[in-house]
Amino acid sequence: MYDMKALYEAESVSDAIRLRLEHPEAQIIAGGSDVLVQMREGKRAGKELISIYGINALRGVSIDGDEALRIGSLTSFSHITRDPLIQRYINVLGEAVDQVGSPQIRNIGTIGGNTCNGVTSADSASTLHAYEAIVELTGKNGVRRLPIKDFYIKAGVVDIRAEEGEIQTAILIPKASYENTFGHYIKYGMRNAMEIASLGCSVNVRLSPDKKTIERCRIAYGVAGPVPMRAPSAEAIANGSALTEEMVTEFALSVLSDINPRDSWRASKAFRQHIAVEMARRALIASIEKAGGVIA
Amino acid sequence: MSQYKLVRCNINGKDVERMVDVRASLTDMLRNDYRLTSVKKGCEVGECGACNVLIDGEAFNSCIYLAVWADGKHIRTLEGLMGPNGELSDIQQAFIDETAIQCGFCTPGFIMSAVEVLESGELYSREELRKRLSGHLCRCTGYENILNAVEKTMKRRHGIPVD
Ligand SMILES: Cc1cc2nc3c(=O)[nH]c(=O)nc-3n(C[C@H](O)[C@H](O)[C@H](O)COP(=O)(O)OP(=O)(O)OC[C@H]3O[C@@H](n4cnc5c(N)ncnc54)[C@H](O)[C@@H]3O)c2cc1C
Ligand code: FES
Ligand code: FES
């Protein structure tokens, strides 16, 4: 038995908003792979929960009117990885979430939970930052959309207005962001399965039509700071550059001026800085190769 | 004050219903209300896979799954693999033949993940099988034999000869 005070089950988004307004103390539970574990550990013992797990309208991937990729917040990791639209337009996201925990965790864990928990090590977070994802929140005043970098406020805290009954309803990837891009995610952990990232790095590139230069490069990290972050100096070096070894090296080294990792029991700051450079290098090379480019 | 909810579902092919305490995990419901004790309580925080069951064909750790979410779902546990006269299924027999069981605590969970693998109809490489089974801990560390049992059963089902 879980030590919970009460459970309210929402059947629709409007139901969830109403329940949130009626029970301001209650916490949202989606797949529960964070919430139920914390409850078991006593951290949320005695709390009320609002379950949104039954809202099937929040599951699945589609293309919306603006040709943005729309990922319902309750879509599980395994369904994201298997989705044909994801595979076609942003395969790196499917590959990244395929590195979460274990098969069972990937069946229960949702992308909404993975972002709403505000955790820097979340395996979807760096890729979503590197694709300038838009977070869609729905509350009593309607829909609010904000860039993912503004959604993260600080470690463990995201911009969801509980007092307005808000829940996250979707994550959108604009066409301008995903179109003609190829990306690669690297998770560094002590073991292959059941391991939280010591550092995560997601890169994506769009090459020029002749595949000789990088038109646009984006790179983002998890665990390189209190929240997931981009590395703008590195991007500036790659953008518009020819595909050379020197560029790749310069790109990789420059991430050190952007990131700010810390010492933790998982890894020291110095080690994280060391692997951050190597991961940037490898992820850029892999992205260029996936895009059909050849490094001279 | 306890709060209860009617949960209707299909367990191992049978439609059932029960009033369930909303605080119960699916492990609690399967073990206590339905006496399906193949569903083990190991870590109870989603790490070991001892409580793994299939829900609508996908593997879930029932310890971090609310019992009320089972409403309307098809659930399968190890007990459901048994033939009409109590026969073992091929994957269970393979676990015995390959000595993939020591204390047996992790076995039901492993086998249910193996069932998902086998029923997918895919022919996985050894490396892929490792990944498919990575959500299970065996404290007796019989991993190689477990992999052998799953790999051989998979191959047999594909008509590939194995020794
Ligand atoms: C054994 C194990 C291994 C794990 N390994 C990994 C790993 O390798 N990588 C990784 O990134 N994570 C890992 N996790 C953590 C977890 O599985 C993920 O963070 C998952 O995405 C959480 O999703 P959920 O739906 O289960 O979230 P929940 O636990 O339901 O919710 C998480 C948080 O988000 C809030 N929330 C959820 N959905 C919404 C919404 N739509 N609107 C508003 N608020 C919402 C909840 O209130 C809660 O604060 C692991 C967990 C376990 C138990
Ligand atoms: S008991 Fe459920 S995963 Fe360990
Ligand atoms: S056989 Fe003992 S835990 Fe696996």
Side-chain angles (χ1 to χ4, degrees):
Chain A
M1 294 283 172
Y2 284 99
D3 183 4
M4 75 176 79
K5 193 163 144 201
L7 177 73
Y8 311 104
E9 283 185 274
E11 273 158 23
S12 63
V13 173
S14 55
D15 224 17
I17 297 167
R18 178 184 55 82
L19 287 167
R20 267 214 122 168
L21 295 171
E22 279 173 18
H23 307 282
E25 299 290 306
Q27 199 198 355
I28 296 287
I29 171 171
S33 58
D34 287 318
V35 170
L36 291 177
V37 171
Q38 288 158 2
M39 195 163 245
R40 217 40 119 197
E41 288 166 348
K43 276 185 213 143
R44 299 182 190 277
K47 289 265 168 73
E48 300 169 296
L49 297 181
I50 298 169
S51 167
I52 59 170
Y53 192 64
I55 310 178
N56 281 329
L58 295 183
R59 293 200 159 82
V61 181
S62 56
I63 299 271
D64 75 6
D66 308 321
E67 292 183 67
L69 207 53
R70 180 186 176 85
I71 309 170
S73 291
L74 283 181
T75 314
S76 68
F77 296 128
S78 58
H79 286 211
I80 288 173
T81 303
R82 259 185 265 146
D83 190 273
L85 291 171
I86 296 283
Q87 291 176 357
R88 181 155 170 204
Y89 294 117
I90 179 171
N91 193 37
V92 54
L93 181 63
E95 290 176 349
V97 300
D98 196 40
Q99 298 191 35
V100 171
S102 70
Q104 294 100 298
I105 298 298
R106 296 194 284 273
N107 285 339
I108 191 70
T110 68
I111 192 145
N114 207 227
T115 44
C116 291
N117 65 11
V119 171
T120 186
S121 62
D123 277 308
S124 67
S126 44
T127 302
L128 293 176
H129 276 74
Y131 274 92
E132 295 189 351
I134 307 289
V135 175
E136 180 190 276
L137 302 150
T138 308
K140 68 171 184 191
N141 301 325
V143 169
R144 189 162 69 94
R145 288 180 170 180
L146 70 165
I148 192 150
K149 72 168 173 21
D150 300 334
F151 179 64
Y152 282 76
I153 295 170
K154 59 178 185 185
V157 181
V158 292
D159 182 3
I160 300 182
R161 298 179 187 157
E163 66 286 359
E164 292 178 17
E166 273 184 355
I167 62 165
Q168 192 202 86
T169 41
I171 289 182
L172 307 165
I173 316 287
K175 185 181 184 188
S177 218
Y178 69 71
E179 195 176 28
N180 196 20
T181 60
F182 295 84
H184 191 73
Y185 174 70
I186 299 176
K187 173 180 187 172
Y188 187 95
M190 305 296 181
R191 58 198 297 281
N192 291 334
M194 286 300 198
E195 173 68 338
I196 300 298
S198 302
L199 197 69
C201 175
S202 189
V203 170
N204 65 79
V205 297
R206 177 184 294 148
L207 298 186
S208 58
D210 65 2
K211 300 196 192 294
K212 296 266 190 263
T213 49
I214 295 181
E215 263 178 20
R216 193 193 78 190
C217 171
R218 287 179 180 165
I219 172 167
Y221 285 94
V223 211
V227 292
M229 57 165 77
R230 294 267 287 275
S233 334
E235 291 178 6
I237 285 166
N239 286 336
S241 295
L243 309 181
T244 62
E245 296 263 6
E246 298 76 64
M247 179 276 293
V248 173
T249 305
E250 204 191 333
F251 165 87
L253 285 171
S254 68
V255 303
L256 291 175
S257 52
D258 294 317
I259 64 170
N260 180 27
R262 65 183 183 110
D263 285 310
S264 80
W265 63 267
R266 246 182 249 284
S268 68
K269 177 180 172 120
F271 181 67
R272 284 200 170 96
Q273 287 176 325
H274 178 76
I275 58 174
V277 172
E278 187 56 24
M279 285 161 80
R281 197 179 74 81
R282 290 186 192 183
L284 179 62
I285 292 172
S287 301
I288 290 172
E289 284 171 356
K290 285 179 182 176
V294 179
I295 297 166
Chain B
M1 197 186 62
S2 304
Q3 185 191 347
Y4 285 84
K5 195 194 163 204
L6 180 66
V7 176
R8 289 197 181 94
C9 58
N10 181 291
I11 303 180
N12 295 329
K14 234 176 89 189
D15 288 328
V16 292
E17 57 176 69
R18 233 359 183 280
M19 290 302 287
V20 173
D21 191 319
V22 300
R23 298 169 303 171
S25 69
L26 181 60
T27 315
D28 292 327
M29 180 181 101
L30 293 171
R31 288 181 61 86
N32 302 342
D33 295 333
Y34 294 100
R35 298 286 163 209
L36 296 168
T37 49
S38 73
V39 186
K40 301 296 180 209
K41 287 197 174 188
C43 65
E44 292 205 81
V45 286
E47 289 186 10
C48 75
C51 62
N52 176 45
V53 300
L54 298 186
I55 303 174
D56 291 344
E58 294 182 13
F60 287 88
N61 289 332
S62 61
C63 68
I64 50 169
Y65 193 96
L66 293 179
V68 297
W69 288 344
D71 194 54
K73 304 263 163 54
H74 279 75
I75 296 161
R76 290 167 68 197
T77 69
L78 186 88
E79 286 85 350
L81 299 182
M82 199 164 60
N85 301 310
E87 307 95 328
L88 295 179
S89 58
D90 56 351
I91 181 68
Q92 290 168 292
Q93 189 59 50
F95 266 64
I96 297 170
D97 296 342
E98 298 299 322
T99 331
I101 303 174
Q102 292 180 71
C103 78
F105 200 80
C106 67
T107 312
F110 260 114
I111 289 185
M112 295 318 288
S113 277
V115 167
E116 191 190 347
V117 165
L118 295 169
E119 291 182 356
S120 73
E122 304 262 345
L123 191 59
Y124 289 105
S125 67
R126 183 94 172 174
E127 219 28 64
E128 286 165 336
L129 282 181
R130 263 181 213 285
K131 190 173 174 202
R132 297 299 314 165
L133 298 175
S134 62
H136 296 273
L137 298 177
C138 173
R139 61 186 170 173
C140 311
T141 71
Y143 295 111
E144 284 304 312
N145 292 355
I146 291 167
L147 274 163
N148 290 343
V150 178
E151 188 175 25
K152 284 188 182 175
T153 309
M154 178 185 72
K155 287 188 171 163
R156 284 194 194 102
R157 286 203 187 178
H158 279 89
I160 299 168
V162 287
D163 45 293

